[in-house]
Amino acid sequence: MSEIKVMNYIDGEFCEASGGQRIEDIGPVDGKIIATIPRSGADDVLRAVQSAKSAQKNWSALTLEERADWLHKIADKMQENIEEIARLESLDTGKPWDVALNVDASRSVNNFRFFADFSKNIDDLKFEMDDASNYVLRKPLGLVGLISPWNLPLYLLSWKIAPALLMGNAIIAKPSELTPLTAWYLCTILDKVGLPAGLVNILHGYGPEVGQAIVENQSIQGISFTGGTQTGKIVAATAAPMFKKLSLELGGKNATIVTDDIDIEFVAKEVARASFLNSGQICLCGSRILVQSSIYENFKEALIKAVNDFKIGPVISKEHKEKVLSYIELAQQEGGKILTGGDISESEGFYINPTLVEGLAIDSRCATEEIFGPVATLHSFDEDADAIDFANITDYGLAGSVWCRDESRATEIAEQIESGMVWINTWLHRDLRVPFGGVKASGVGREGGMWSVGFFSEAINICVKH
Ligand code: TXE
């Protein structure tokens, strides 16, 4: 198969980076080049900003309903091409085709549909006083910078693009250089539906180059960033002194708590999925499994079987594979015992078998640092209070899950976990209206439903004296 030549999409045109350089995109399944992408920089960002400024003026003059109609048009065209979206996502990330179709592609379509429909929920805010009336306008920010990671490429990019457009903004976006294909394919869809030129500009390249140029551009009023905590610190340090609105969805080291009253076989399968879906490359994955001591041995046996039965794809890159393998090595140095996995499937791709480690101290590096791959650590706890302490021991606070038949006991535990989201007797069950985001080193701000509406607009109050 010949390499795909990904182009930037600026001012409604497919173009090279101004410097003419390109970067290779390597496929995780066999380590071969699948595409090349433009190596964009500040000049490309300037061209996109110029185009976005004029496009945004006309776009913000449309009504909310007219913009919602455009989101439906985009969703319809994506749905028509959903198998191609899944094929490209699977090619770029190595994830199994059915995961790319049922998780990534269908959710990407749904992101546009959801925010189009959600526009009907955006009520006019009024606050009456004895002698005056207040009403709130939701004005667009203007130009927004959207920066997204490689684990759920179009799923997370569309999660930002849809509400940003709905609220009247123009976009300068940068997908991860490791997974450019579906962002580029989305541009061909926007082109086909005739979205006004300059409204969505997608530039490819390295984070410290074109990503940094987006974050530091004076004309871009808000940044929605999803990625690692270390990068989040750099983005925040650049944007904060410029008083840009900032939404940071960062890393996680989520706890899965299993109490002694559950159905062991059923929960073991669910917990294996929560730890290893997308090869553990979802920031919401449960990478620390805390099991009540009275059922630990029986649950461990069931979990090992469930993990061995759970088929996964490769991790995203050779470098990431080496990073994950270094943590498996570290786990053994820290006194951990590999219960299953730990070796590499014999293939030229970036495969690592799903790996379970027990016997690590709860504050060991492997049990507190984000690995972001198919590795989970197993720990036992005696009392619920111990499980809560263990869950809260890391710097992160993104998500978690509690598997406990007694719902009042489960909510008691869940409400004491220091994270942005907790699932009870389920995982990754998503209502797009709810707030999504983390606390502590997992980020700042929330997106989803009204939180996305709020982030991608400025609330302006008008007070009229009677
Ligand atoms: O992140 P990186 P990755 C986290 C996940 C993991 C990481 C994986 O926990 O830690 O993301 O994604 C660009 N200025 N989440 O490795 O390296 C870079 O090019 C501007 C959490 O891709 O941080 C890429 O496009 N941009 C999340 C993007 O930032 C820069 C869900 C992310 O890259 C930059 C998914 C710079 N200086 C993954 N340097 C959640 N909480 O929802 C890099 N980039």
Side-chain angles (χ1 to χ4, degrees):
M1 188 198 74
S2 65
E3 294 160 21
I4 298 169
K5 190 170 184 189
V6 170
M7 305 298 271
N8 284 343
Y9 187 62
I10 299 177
D11 196 24
E13 300 293 330
F14 289 97
C15 56
E16 289 283 1
S18 53
Q21 289 186 32
R22 297 187 76 80
I23 301 168
E24 291 176 346
D25 174 19
I26 305 294
V29 167
D30 58 12
K32 294 192 170 51
I33 301 172
I34 54 177
T36 60
I37 69 173
R39 180 175 180 177
S40 309
D43 293 348
D44 304 293
V45 172
L46 287 174
R47 278 196 320 114
V49 161
Q50 288 321 315
S51 162
K53 278 179 180 171
S54 53
Q56 194 268 333
K57 279 196 184 55
N58 303 330
W59 182 249
S60 59
L62 297 182
T63 64
L64 197 63
E65 291 69 26
E66 288 167 328
R67 296 195 294 262
D69 287 345
W70 273 106
L71 297 190
H72 273 307
K73 266 191 220 154
I74 295 167
D76 293 345
K77 186 57 80 180
M78 289 173 77
Q79 185 61 47
E80 272 174 46
N81 297 280
I82 197 159
E83 302 220 340
E84 181 61 3
I85 294 173
R87 183 185 76 82
L88 291 171
E89 204 70 293
S90 175
L91 180 66
D92 225 353
T93 60
K95 65 183 79 180
W97 192 83
D98 61 318
V99 175
L101 182 69
N102 300 322
V103 174
D104 298 70
S106 54
R107 171 63 191 278
S108 301
V109 175
N110 193 27
N111 283 340
F112 283 95
R113 260 228 225 286
F114 166 76
F115 280 107
D117 294 338
F118 192 75
S119 58
K120 301 182 188 70
N121 296 32
I122 303 175
D123 51 0
D124 298 331
L125 288 179
K126 289 185 175 55
F127 301 93
E128 291 301 336
M129 302 165 77
D130 296 345
D131 60 350
S133 297
N134 296 274
Y135 64 93
V136 177
L137 292 178
R138 288 192 180 86
K139 291 188 175 178
L141 299 188
L143 271 53
V144 293
L146 309 180
I147 299 176
S148 47
W150 48 256
N151 59 321
L152 297 163
L154 193 56
Y155 176 126
L156 290 171
L157 180 58
S158 56
W159 178 241
K160 300 172 188 293
I161 290 180
L165 285 177
L166 181 69
M167 299 317 290
N169 301 288
I171 289 163
I172 293 94
K174 184 210 131 10
S176 172
E177 57 278 24
L178 301 178
T179 53
L181 296 185
T182 46
W184 162 74
Y185 188 72
L186 175 66
C187 296
T188 66
I189 286 181
L190 301 180
D191 214 46
K192 281 187 191 117
V193 301
L195 193 73
L199 208 47
V200 175
N201 303 276
I202 297 191
L203 288 72
H204 296 270
Y206 291 124
E209 296 175 1
V210 64
Q212 183 73 20
I214 289 170
V215 177
E216 59 192 30
N217 183 283
Q218 293 285 358
S219 304
I220 296 176
Q221 282 93 350
I223 300 289
S224 173
F225 171 83
T226 298
T229 294
Q230 289 319 310
T231 312
K233 286 179 184 171
I234 297 169
V235 171
T238 306
M242 300 172 80
F243 300 111
K244 294 187 180 204
K245 273 187 96 170
L246 201 48
S247 171
L248 297 172
E249 303 284 2
L250 306 177
K253 188 71 178 184
N254 311 307
T256 297
I257 295 174
V258 181
T259 61
D260 56 4
D261 62 347
I262 46 101
D263 169 341
I264 286 181
E265 295 304 318
F266 170 76
V267 171
K269 288 194 183 81
E270 293 296 307
V271 167
R273 176 178 171 270
S275 293
F276 296 103
L277 184 67
N278 205 38
S279 305
Q281 298 170 130
I282 299 176
C283 55
L284 304 168
C285 278
S287 46
R288 295 182 292 147
I289 304 166
L290 315 178
V291 182
Q292 194 140 27
S293 42
S294 54
I295 61 162
Y296 181 83
E297 288 304 327
N298 291 342
F299 187 81
K300 177 175 83 174
E301 290 319 309
L303 182 61
I304 290 170
K305 185 180 177 321
V307 169
N308 290 338
D309 293 343
F310 194 81
K311 292 294 157 265
I312 62 172
V315 296
I316 190 70
S317 67
K318 184 167 172 291
E319 295 70 22
H320 194 54
K321 174 175 162 182
E322 284 158 8
K323 173 185 168 185
V324 175
L325 289 176
S326 73
Y327 271 104
I328 293 174
E329 186 53 42
L330 176 66
Q332 297 170 87
Q333 290 162 10
E334 290 190 301
K337 180 184 166 212
I338 307 284
L339 295 173
T340 185
D343 52 2
I344 308 169
S345 314
E346 287 319 309
S347 84
E348 64 278 29
F350 311 136
Y351 289 88
I352 300 176
N353 293 325
T355 303
L356 270 181
V357 186
E358 75 168 351
L360 284 170
I362 196 71
D363 59 353
S364 61
R365 281 189 55 204
C366 277
T368 52
E369 294 176 14
E370 181 181 55
I371 299 172
F372 210 61
V375 180
T377 59
L378 206 52
H379 310 266
S380 72
F381 68 88
D382 295 326
E383 304 304 328
D384 293 0
D386 302 323
I388 293 160
D389 290 347
F390 290 169
N392 294 337
I393 200 173
T394 73
D395 296 338
Y396 293 102
L398 187 59
S401 62
V402 178
W403 300 82
C404 172
R405 201 186 292 274
D406 174 343
E407 216 170 273
S408 61
R409 180 182 172 194
T411 44
E412 172 103 17
I413 294 169
E415 289 175 8
Q416 296 177 72
I417 294 174
E418 294 163 1
S419 69
M421 313 164 249
V422 184
W423 281 282
I424 294 178
N425 297 324
T426 185
W427 177 73
L428 204 62
H429 194 36
R430 293 276 291 114
D431 179 327
L432 304 188
R433 295 168 298 177
V434 306
F436 181 100
V439 299
K440 304 195 306 188
S442 291
V444 175
R446 296 289 181 272
E447 294 184 23
M450 278 312 291
W451 285 270
S452 294
V453 167
F455 177 74
F456 286 110
S457 62
E458 286 294 3
I460 310 294
N461 187 60
I462 309 291
C463 177
V464 185
K465 187 85 169 55
H466 297 325

